[in-house]
Amino acid sequence: ANSAAVNWLGGRGVFAAFGTFGGGTCALQMSPDGGTTWIAVDRSGDTFVTFTTAGAGGFELPPCKIRAALTGATTPSLNATVSTSKS
């Protein structure tokens, strides 16, 4: 399941996910083309904004659409937030 896409104005931010993961993985995704193509923000092996338990991590992106993507979960009850970073 994926969250609704939101417009990211660009810059540094913090992505957080918390709740019951139901055995799944929650990751921040970005779309450089208005929501047609979705790309994982973390590269393979990175876990800055990819979680299997509650966590928060930083990212930096250009203006784009972003969303939370949950995969491999059964009976999840998950919340995800994004906020700007003041650094």
Side-chain angles (χ1 to χ4, degrees):
N2 301 316
S3 71
V6 296
N7 292 320
W8 181 252
L9 298 178
R12 292 181 181 175
V14 176
F15 174 68
F18 55 96
T20 303
F21 281 69
T25 300
C26 184
L28 181 64
Q29 293 182 333
M30 63 91 68
S31 175
D33 58 8
T36 301
T37 306
W38 289 96
I39 302 166
V41 173
D42 281 338
R43 295 175 297 179
S44 180
D46 291 343
T47 57
F48 302 110
V49 289
T50 302
F51 307 108
T52 56
T53 61
F59 65 93
E60 186 169 3
L61 292 171
C64 61
K65 289 193 176 288
I66 58 173
R67 72 180 182 187
L70 180 63
T71 57
T74 56
T75 64
S77 178
L78 196 62
N79 295 290
T81 64
V82 175
S83 61
T84 59
S85 176
K86 305 279 194 234
S87 57

